[in-house]
Amino acid sequence: LHSGGGLNLRGYTGYLVAQSNKGDTNDIRVAYKGNTGGAVNIEIEFDKLLGLKFWALRDYLKFKTYFFGDIGLINYNTIYEDLAFTDLRADAGLGAALTIKKWGPLDLVKPLTIRFDMPFFLNRPPSTDADFFQFRWVVGINRCF
């Protein structure tokens, strides 16, 4: 389950990121979380090309399809060490988002978006994966943009 927000690389959701400490292959750090980092997330919607129209439900539902690409890094140092960042990681794939805009009698409930993302490409696959291109999927709640 993936939650939209900052520093998200959809293809690495649920993976532990192993990083050698400053080039020392004997000192491996886990960089699943950190205090600082940076990421760029891009989505290009193409749902209008599909021609899917839900005219009867347009006031209640919205469906979007998109290509996405994420790239980012995060720190892996302890609080007593100098700031050190992981190698740059990136992913790319296809996704779809279904937004429920109105809930009928529960009209005060905010819209809910359910996402299904398929990050087919990872530039640094985990050690258990042999291929850069592989079928992966993640389900998410809401979008950050």
Side-chain angles (χ1 to χ4, degrees), residues 47 52-64 97-114 142-143:
D47 50 284
L52 296 175
K53 302 286 184 190
F54 301 108
W55 292 109
L57 300 173
R58 71 174 178 241
D59 292 337
Y60 297 93
L61 299 175
K62 180 170 59 171
F63 183 72
K64 296 284 183 184
L98 176 69
T99 301
I100 304 169
K101 299 189 292 185
K102 291 186 179 180
W103 296 85
L106 302 173
D107 202 27
L108 298 176
V109 175
K110 292 183 179 180
L112 172 69
T113 301
I114 301 168
N142 288 338
R143 294 171 81 179

Side-chain angles (χ1 to χ4, degrees), residues 22-117:
K22 297 180 183 163
D24 181 5
T25 57
N26 294 326
D27 185 10
I28 303 296
R29 304 284 180 97
V30 175
Y32 186 72
K33 60 182 181 176
N35 296 325
T36 189
V40 174
N41 308 95
I42 297 172
E43 292 184 359
I44 300 171
E45 295 179 354
F46 64 89
D47 50 284
K48 292 182 182 177
L49 297 175
L50 297 177
L52 296 175
K53 302 286 184 190
F54 301 108
W55 292 109
L57 300 173
R58 71 174 178 241
D59 292 337
Y60 297 93
L61 299 175
K62 180 170 59 171
F63 183 72
K64 296 284 183 184
T65 53
Y66 49 87
F67 296 109
F68 68 85
D70 308 316
I71 188 168
L73 48 80
I74 195 165
N75 76 301
Y76 65 87
N77 57 290
T78 65
I79 59 172
Y80 303 107
E81 296 176 334
D82 291 336
L83 188 61
F85 289 98
T86 61
D87 298 327
L88 208 57
R89 286 178 166 70
D91 62 48
L94 295 170
L98 176 69
T99 301
I100 304 169
K101 299 189 292 185
K102 291 186 179 180
W103 296 85
L106 302 173
D107 202 27
L108 298 176
V109 175
K110 292 183 179 180
L112 172 69
T113 301
I114 301 168
R115 296 181 296 114
F116 182 75
D117 294 327

Side-chain angles (χ1 to χ4, degrees), residues 9-20 28-34 74-76 86-87 89 122 124-129 136:
L9 300 173
R10 289 167 260 211
Y12 293 93
T13 298
Y15 288 123
L16 290 176
V17 175
Q19 177 70 40
S20 59
I28 303 296
R29 304 284 180 97
V30 175
Y32 186 72
K33 60 182 181 176
I74 195 165
N75 76 301
Y76 65 87
T86 61
D87 298 327
R89 286 178 166 70
L122 298 181
R124 295 178 185 276
S127 63
T128 58
D129 293 345
R136 300 172 183 88

